[in-house]
């Protein structure tokens, strides 16, 4: 071109742009960059052929490899289902008292139980399993247990429920109302003695005598409780329905008895086993009894009423 201008020091043609005395040179791109650019074009063409890329009215092109994100998700979901199935199969044949011997399986059971707890149990026991003294829902984080806190005992309680008259294996325990049975002075003496068992008041001979005659049969002479009857322990600082003087008097005169559904009518045995493992892991779970020890939870507890104040 007649007006073609070359920069003498570099031998490069000027583009023709000029601003404030500054001109631009038409310097060619480095060869490596040009070749890389061509390679990306070739790669893009190959990608469009191999994978779904060209949109259509209903779906994109399928690609020669037949891959799709939906197909990949389906494969991953199937793999996850297979993994869960293998865990459930292992849990189905593993006696719950032997779960601690298999830490990996125990961990899987606790994880599954955590999910099941959020769906089925938080309505009463709360998201943190702290329960409610006002409503009488047990705190599952402490180490006080009405019916036993080892894995097998927890599994039995969840399976068969508490105070379910239509369920043959349900935990059964009751307490009579002592309203009118004691004078105001006797009720005050008894309350002081119950409080003294956990160091909250001074004991007295009259209250101790009333307790011995009316309460010790189920709660024990020193208030240690009786898990066969579901009679709570009275000599610690953990109370299901409150530990004030007013709470104890109310529970002695007009006891409130809680209930829990039998979950074997709603959940499968493996899910119940996972729930038991999760509850056991919350902090208050007790060591599993030896497999050779007598199994007191295989049969339903006796339908005997607790003739005692309830914690």
């Amino acid at each position: 071109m007649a007006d073609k201008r070359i920069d003498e020091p570099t031998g490069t043609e000027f583009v023709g742009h000029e601003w404030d005395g500054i001109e631009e040179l038409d310097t060619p791109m480095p060869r490596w960059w040009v070749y890389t650019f061509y390679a990306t074009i070739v790669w893009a063409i190959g990608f469009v052929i191999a994978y779904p890329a060209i949109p259509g009215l209903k779906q994109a092109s399928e690609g020669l490899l037949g891959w799709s994100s939906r197909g990949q998700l389906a494969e991953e979901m199937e793999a996850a289902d297979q993994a869960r199935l293998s865990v459930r199969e292992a849990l189905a044949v593993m006696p719950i008292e032997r779960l601690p011997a298999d830490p990996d399986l125990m961990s899987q059971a606790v994880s599954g139980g955590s999910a099941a707890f959020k769906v089925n149990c938080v309505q009463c026991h709360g998201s943190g399993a702290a329960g409610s003294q006002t409503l009488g829902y047990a705190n599952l984080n402490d180490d006080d247990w009405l019916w036993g806190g080892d894995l097998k005992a927890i599994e039995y309680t969840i399976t068969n429920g508490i105070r379910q008259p239509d369920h043959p294996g349900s935990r059964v325990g009751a307490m009579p109302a002592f309203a009118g049975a004691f004078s105001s002075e006797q009720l005050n003496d008894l309350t002081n003695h119950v409080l003294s068992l956990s160091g909250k008041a001074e004991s007295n001979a009259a209250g101790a005598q009333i307790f011995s005659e009316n309460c010790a049969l189920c709660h024990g002479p020193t208030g240690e409780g009786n898990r066969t009857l579901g009679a709570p322990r009275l000599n610690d600082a953990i109370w299901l329905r409150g530990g004030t003087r007013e709470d104890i008097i109310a529970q002695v005169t007009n006891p409130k008895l809680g209930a829990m559904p039998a979950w074997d009518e709603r959940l499968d045995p493996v899910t119940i086993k996972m729930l038991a493992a999760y509850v056991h892991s919350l902090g208050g779970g007790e060591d599993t009894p030896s497999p050779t020890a007598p199994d007191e939870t295989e049969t339903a507890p006796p339908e005997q009423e607790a003739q005692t104040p309830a914690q």
Side-chain angles (χ1 to χ4, degrees):
M1 297 177 59
D3 58 350
K4 183 178 180 180
R5 296 174 56 237
I6 302 298
D7 179 54
E8 293 184 1
T10 62
T12 305
E13 181 182 356
F14 284 100
V15 174
H17 302 156
E18 183 271 334
W19 182 82
D20 199 20
I22 301 175
E23 295 184 87
E24 181 182 358
L25 299 178
D26 188 13
T27 305
M29 298 297 295
R31 288 186 177 276
W32 67 265
W33 191 96
V34 175
Y35 294 150
T36 301
F37 178 68
Y38 292 154
T40 60
I41 295 175
V42 174
W43 180 87
I45 295 173
F47 183 91
V48 169
I49 295 173
Y51 292 94
I54 302 175
L57 293 178
K58 295 184 178 180
Q59 64 182 27
S61 58
E62 295 183 359
L64 294 180
L65 297 181
W67 179 92
S68 71
S69 57
R70 291 179 181 273
Q72 181 179 6
L73 175 61
E75 292 176 1
E76 293 174 355
M77 293 294 291
E78 183 179 359
D81 289 341
Q82 289 297 326
R84 283 193 294 269
L85 180 61
S86 63
V87 170
R88 293 181 64 86
E89 289 174 345
L91 284 170
V93 299
M94 172 74 75
I96 193 169
E97 64 271 21
R98 296 180 183 173
L99 263 182
D102 189 334
D104 290 339
L105 189 58
M106 182 68 172
S107 177
Q108 294 280 358
V110 170
S111 296
S114 175
F117 187 90
K118 291 179 175 65
V119 175
N120 300 283
C121 310
V122 297
Q123 295 85 349
C124 295
H125 292 287
S127 58
S132 169
Q133 282 192 350
T134 304
L135 300 175
Y137 299 139
N139 183 349
L140 303 177
N141 298 291
D142 59 35
D143 56 1
D144 234 21
W145 300 89
L146 288 177
W147 306 97
D150 62 82
L151 282 166
K152 195 168 185 63
I154 296 172
E155 180 189 35
Y156 186 94
T157 300
I158 296 173
T159 300
N160 298 281
I162 298 172
R163 300 185 183 93
Q164 297 298 304
D166 298 331
H167 197 288
S170 179
R171 302 283 197 187
V172 178
M175 174 179 161
F178 284 92
F182 307 124
S183 66
S184 297
E185 182 179 359
Q186 289 176 316
L187 187 58
N188 186 62
D189 290 339
L190 175 61
T191 303
N192 281 335
H193 178 72
V194 172
L195 286 170
S196 75
L197 296 175
S198 56
K200 291 185 175 181
E202 292 293 330
S203 182
N204 61 92
Q209 181 66 26
I210 296 171
F211 185 89
S212 175
E213 293 175 353
N214 296 274
C215 313
L217 177 64
C218 295
H219 289 286
T222 61
E224 65 273 17
N226 187 329
R227 290 180 174 180
T228 303
L229 303 175
R233 181 180 177 184
L234 303 177
N235 58 7
D236 58 18
I238 301 175
W239 300 86
L240 179 58
R241 295 187 178 272
T244 67
R245 179 179 298 277
E246 293 74 17
D247 293 330
I248 295 173
I249 291 176
Q251 193 66 2
V252 170
T253 56
N254 187 26
K256 297 177 181 178
L257 303 176
M260 187 179 94
W263 286 97
D264 65 343
E265 300 175 354
R266 312 184 190 192
L267 301 176
D268 61 87
V270 173
T271 300
I272 290 175
K273 190 174 292 186
M274 291 191 293
L275 266 174
Y278 173 71
V279 171
H280 186 272
S281 74
L282 290 175
E286 299 172 341
D287 292 339
T288 303
S290 168
T292 59
D295 189 350
E296 297 179 355
T297 63
E298 282 297 329
T299 57
E303 295 189 8
Q304 178 176 349
E305 293 191 350
Q307 307 294 316
T308 53
Q311 185 175 5

